[in-house]
C-alpha cells in the first residue's frame, strides 16, 4: 500500500508512524473498528490518542454509519445522523476537503454538536480529516487527542497522509468505490449524454461513432471528457453513475 501524497518537510517520527500504519493495513487486513483502535493505540499514541471514528458519506449527503474505538455505544446512538450541511467538524472537513482541528473553546462555541459527546474537553483536541477518493471527499477519519495541539503544517500533512492510507485500504481491501452525492449537478452536453447512454448499453467507440455519425476520434475525446466530469476511471463506473442519473430522473416524475 503506497500513499501518493506530497508531504513536504516531515519528521522521521511522522514517517515512522505512517510506515507502521501502512504495514498494519497491508498485513493485517483490518476492519474499520480495528483501524480505529490502531490509530488510537499506536499511530497517535504520542499525542495521547483517546478515541477515533471512521464514517462515510452516503448518497444523500448524510453520515449514518460510524465505526469507532473508545466511544460509548449509547453516545454514538444519541449523536444520530449528521448531514453534510450540519455545523460540525466532520461536515466541515468534507465541505472544505481539508483537515479541521478544534480545541476546547471552538468545541464549546462553533462546534456545539461535538460537545454532545461525553468528553471532558479540557486540554483536548478534536481532529477530523477528509478521506478523498479520486478527488471526491468520501468520508472522515476523526480523533480525540488528550493534548492541546498546534495546527502545524507538518502535523496537517501527516493527518492527510493517515486519512489517505485509510481510504486506500478501504478501496483496495474492502472494495469501497467513490460514491457521488446525487445532489451534485453533472454537467454533460446532450451529445455526451447520448454517448454515455450508448456506452452503458455496451457499444464500442466505433459502434457509437457509426450510430451517431461522428468520427471514432471524436467519440474517444468526448469519452475522456465524460470520465472527467463523472470522476470515474472506466466504462463500468460511468455506467453506474448513468443508472443513478436515470433513477434520479424517475424519482422526480
Amino acid at each position: 500500500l503506497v500513499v501518493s501524497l506530497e508531504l513536504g518537510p516531515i519528521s522521521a517520527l511522522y514517517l515512522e508512524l505512517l510506515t507502521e500504519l501502512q504495514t498494519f493495513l497491508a498485513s493485517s487486513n483490518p476492519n474499520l473498528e480495528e483501524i480505529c483502535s490502531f490509530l488510537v493505540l499506536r499511530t497517535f499514541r504520542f499525542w495521547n490518542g483517546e478515541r477515533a471514528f471512521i464514517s462515510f458519506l452516503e448518497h444523500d449527503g448524510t453520515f449514518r454509519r460510524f465505526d469507532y474505538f473508545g466511544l460509548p455505544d449509547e453516545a454514538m446512538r444519541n449523536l444520530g445522523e449528521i448531514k453534510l450541511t450540519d455545523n460540525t467538524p466532520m461536515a466541515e472537513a468534507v465541505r472544505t476537503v481539508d483537515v479541521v482541528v478544534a480545541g476546547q473553546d471552538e468545541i464549546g462555541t462553533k462546534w456545539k454538536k461535538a460537545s454532545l459527546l461525553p468528553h471532558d474537553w479540557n486540554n483536548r483536541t478534536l481532529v477530523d480529516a477528509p478521506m478523498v477518493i479520486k478527488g471526491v471527499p468520501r468520508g472522515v477519519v476523526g480523533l480525540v487527542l488528550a493534548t492541546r495541539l498546534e495546527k502545524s503544517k507538518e502535523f496537517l500533512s501527516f493527518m492527510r497522509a493517515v486519512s489517505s492510507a485509510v481510504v486506500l485500504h478501504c478501496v483496495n481491501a474492502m472494495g469501497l468505490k467513490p460514491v457521488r452525492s446525487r445532489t451534485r449537478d453533472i454537467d454533460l452536453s446532450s451529445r455526451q449524454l447520448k454517448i454515455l447512454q450508448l456506452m452503458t448499453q455496451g457499444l464500442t467507440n466505433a459502434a457509437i461513432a457509426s450510430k451517431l455519425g461522428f468520427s471514432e476520434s471524436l467519440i474517444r475525446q468526448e469519452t475522456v471528457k465524460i470520465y472527467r466530469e463523472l470522476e470515474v476511471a472506466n466504462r463500468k463506473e460511468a455506467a453506474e453513475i448513468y443508472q443513478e442519473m436515470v433513477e434520479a430522473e424517475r424519482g422526480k416524475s
Side-chain angles (χ1 to χ4, degrees):
L1 181 65
V2 177
V3 175
S4 177
L5 184 70
E6 292 185 14
L7 289 173
I10 193 164
S11 71
L13 172 61
Y14 286 134
L15 290 173
E16 179 182 342
L17 293 172
L18 183 58
T19 299
E20 184 182 52
L21 172 62
Q22 292 174 314
T23 301
F24 167 72
L25 295 173
S27 61
S28 303
N29 193 26
N31 60 32
L32 295 178
E33 185 178 344
E34 290 168 338
I35 294 172
C36 291
S37 173
F38 190 89
L39 292 176
V40 169
L41 300 177
R42 296 296 304 172
T43 308
F44 289 90
R45 63 188 184 275
F46 295 109
W47 295 271
N48 298 319
E50 284 188 331
R51 300 172 181 185
F53 75 87
I54 295 173
S55 183
F56 290 96
L57 186 67
E58 299 188 10
H59 278 294
D60 61 356
T62 302
F63 298 92
R64 290 192 180 91
R65 176 185 170 184
F66 290 82
D67 290 272
Y68 50 89
F69 175 81
L71 289 157
D73 293 341
E74 183 179 357
M76 296 305 293
R77 287 194 294 269
N78 292 339
L79 188 62
E81 296 181 349
I82 293 180
K83 296 186 179 298
L84 186 57
T85 54
D86 285 349
N87 184 33
T88 62
M90 61 185 300
E92 178 75 5
V94 169
R95 287 195 300 265
T96 61
V97 196
D98 202 1
V99 180
V100 172
V101 178
Q104 178 184 359
D105 294 339
E106 290 175 295
I107 292 169
T109 56
K110 184 177 181 181
W111 310 117
K112 290 185 178 180
K113 191 164 186 177
S115 65
L116 296 178
L117 291 173
H119 291 294
D120 173 8
W121 290 106
N122 186 39
N123 292 321
R124 281 168 173 78
T125 304
L126 180 69
V127 183
D128 284 347
M131 295 186 293
V132 181
I133 308 174
K134 296 180 181 177
V136 181
R138 182 65 178 87
V140 170
V141 175
L143 291 150
V144 175
L145 309 176
T147 186
R148 289 191 178 184
L149 182 71
E150 297 297 329
K151 299 179 185 179
S152 70
K153 291 182 179 179
E154 189 176 35
F155 181 85
L156 294 178
S157 292
F158 173 63
M159 192 65 209
R160 292 185 191 103
V162 167
S163 65
S164 294
V166 171
V167 79
L168 280 174
H169 170 77
C170 294
V171 170
N172 296 333
M174 301 179 179
L176 178 72
K177 296 178 180 178
V179 178
R180 301 167 58 93
S181 168
R182 288 190 177 102
T183 60
R184 181 188 183 282
D185 291 334
I186 294 175
D187 186 16
L188 295 176
S189 67
S190 58
R191 180 167 69 187
Q192 289 168 344
L193 282 170
K194 187 62 178 178
I195 292 171
L196 177 58
Q197 180 186 21
L198 296 174
M199 187 190 306
T200 302
Q201 295 172 7
L203 275 65
T204 64
N205 285 346
I208 295 173
S210 176
K211 191 174 184 66
L212 298 182
F214 298 120
S215 69
E216 188 174 350
S217 174
L218 177 62
I219 299 302
R220 283 197 299 269
Q221 293 174 30
E222 289 286 57
T223 298
V224 171
K225 294 177 183 177
I226 291 169
Y227 286 0
R228 185 181 301 122
E229 174 60 25
L230 298 183
E231 296 172 344
V232 299
N234 53 51
R235 283 178 170 239
K236 183 176 182 296
E237 292 179 2
E240 290 172 355
I241 297 294
Y242 179 74
Q243 291 301 325
E244 291 180 8
M245 293 166 60
V246 171
E247 291 171 9
E249 287 300 316
R250 286 175 183 165
K252 293 178 183 178
S253 59

